[in-house]
Amino acid sequence: MNDPQPEGHLASYIGRRKFLATLGGAAAAWPLAARAQQRPVVGLLAASSKTAGARYYGAFSQGLRELGYSEGRDYTFEERYADGDVARLPRLAEELVRLKPWVIVAGATPAVLAARRATDSVAIVGVNMNDPVALGLIASEARPGANVTGVLSRLPGQAAKQLEIARDAVPGASKVGILINANNQSNVLQWRETEPAAKKLGLGLAAVEIRAMNELGSAVERFVNERADVVVVLGDAALLTVRRQIAAFALASRLPTVFSFREHVEDGGLVSYGVNLRENYRRAAYFADRILKGEKPADLPVEFPPKVELIVNLATAKALRLNIPPTLLARADEVIE
């Protein structure tokens, strides 16, 4: 905790770079390690694996390129991935903090929490935060007041909307299964939103908590035994890592599924309603840019997701022998055939 933020701003770093250029051969003789230390370090802390999240993690670097940054020239990029095991995040966060980064980009709420526990001085940009005020990460969205800012992963009322979509996708559904990663505090908050929303819609709930990804098979069996008509999988980086397994288990048990992220549906899930993760990571570059130029995360308002979308996989619907109502298809931002 309390690791000092690197002194100076990006402008001073650029000035140093120009000065070094005038040294000619003398500068070239410097040890490479010493010269590398002059570049700001930008860290990425992710709960998922690099392979599973490649389609959206890359949007952060793309966003920086669009803002004029070049990796290796303007900053050094350090990545740490928990590979779906959130218990690894605290150690990975501490590793990044020891590198004295100017900013840590933390994907998903567990990564933000781990980074915040590791440092209260290094700037943290949360890419997919869920209710950071309730979790004590910030004072308010308008004025974070701490070393954390970034983009939210959910919109107000999203739990109710997902339940409505689950009901519409499976006409006649009366009981909805809820898959919860008990290791994720964000999932606990999502579950609290889901309960009253289900009551208003007159839907019964069958909640199943898991603590390890090898419990997925038994979780699906419980949904079947509970006679759930459709399952809502709460938004979670670890569950996103095993999205293909979830889709396979659900299909084998003929269980329709609703998710928060489109990646689940691209890999065999039925429906998703939620943020576009790639756009969130791209937007994170804006926050990193402002921080590298000297602004404080405490003064950068937390933003709502830049894009929310409804995706339907018709191929999965056919495999489940489920007829998606035309009214739901008409509302979809994208239909995968």
Side-chain angles (χ1 to χ4, degrees), residues 1-265:
M1 293 287 291
N2 301 317
D3 287 76
Q5 176 76 9
E7 295 181 359
H9 304 315
L10 188 61
S12 63
Y13 158 68
I14 293 173
R16 288 197 303 273
R17 232 177 57 199
K18 291 179 178 177
F19 170 71
L20 292 176
T22 65
L23 297 181
W30 285 15
L32 291 177
R35 291 170 62 189
Q37 289 176 1
Q38 302 301 310
R39 286 190 291 271
V41 173
V42 175
L44 172 66
L45 179 64
S48 183
S49 68
K50 185 171 185 176
T51 301
R55 68 181 77 186
Y56 43 85
Y57 292 144
F60 172 68
S61 297
Q62 177 190 342
L64 285 179
R65 286 194 298 273
E66 291 170 354
L67 292 168
Y69 292 83
S70 175
E71 182 182 347
R73 183 194 69 188
D74 300 312
Y75 69 97
T76 298
F77 196 39
E78 290 286 346
E79 307 162 86
R80 297 293 185 275
Y81 299 93
D83 297 328
D85 182 2
V86 295
R88 297 177 57 202
L89 286 170
R91 177 176 60 79
L92 297 176
E94 290 169 1
E95 284 182 14
L96 282 176
V97 170
R98 284 197 292 270
L99 297 175
K100 301 189 182 301
W102 288 37
V103 58
I104 295 174
V105 175
T109 304
V112 181
L113 287 166
R116 182 64 181 82
R117 288 167 185 149
T119 177
D120 57 10
S121 57
V122 176
I124 300 167
V125 176
V127 182
N128 296 294
M129 296 187 291
N130 185 52
D131 209 344
V133 176
L135 291 174
L137 289 167
I138 61 173
S140 70
E141 281 86 1
R143 294 191 64 81
N147 64 318
V148 178
T149 186
V151 187
L152 299 175
S153 65
R154 295 173 63 80
L155 292 171
Q158 186 169 332
K161 190 69 175 177
Q162 288 176 320
L163 288 174
E164 288 177 13
I165 290 169
R167 180 196 60 189
D168 293 347
V170 186
S174 60
K175 180 177 281 190
V176 179
I178 307 293
L179 182 60
I180 304 167
N181 180 1
N183 296 319
N184 185 347
Q185 288 179 264
S186 170
N187 268 202
V188 176
L189 294 173
Q190 291 175 55
W191 167 239
R192 290 175 187 167
E193 295 175 10
T194 302
E195 286 185 289
K199 188 175 181 179
K200 287 183 180 179
L201 293 170
L203 294 171
L205 292 177
V208 175
E209 293 185 353
I210 64 171
R211 295 186 178 277
M213 296 305 107
N214 60 9
E215 298 173 7
L216 284 172
S218 59
V220 171
E221 287 181 11
R222 286 185 58 185
F223 288 131
V224 172
N225 293 335
E226 292 277 352
R227 298 187 183 279
D229 300 300
V230 56
V231 173
V232 173
V233 177
L234 299 185
D236 173 71
L239 292 173
L240 189 60
T241 300
V242 293
R243 54 186 178 267
R244 292 179 181 174
Q245 292 96 309
I246 295 173
F249 280 127
L251 186 59
S253 299
R254 297 203 175 280
L255 272 176
T257 45
V258 176
F259 303 91
S260 295
F261 307 124
R262 67 174 294 142
E263 284 76 12
H264 281 284
V265 178

Side-chain angles (χ1 to χ4, degrees), residues 301-321:
V302 170
E303 295 183 353
F304 286 101
K307 187 174 183 180
V308 179
E309 55 193 6
L310 172 64
I311 313 294
V312 179
N313 189 323
L314 269 188
T316 298
K318 291 176 182 176
L320 292 169
R321 297 177 185 174

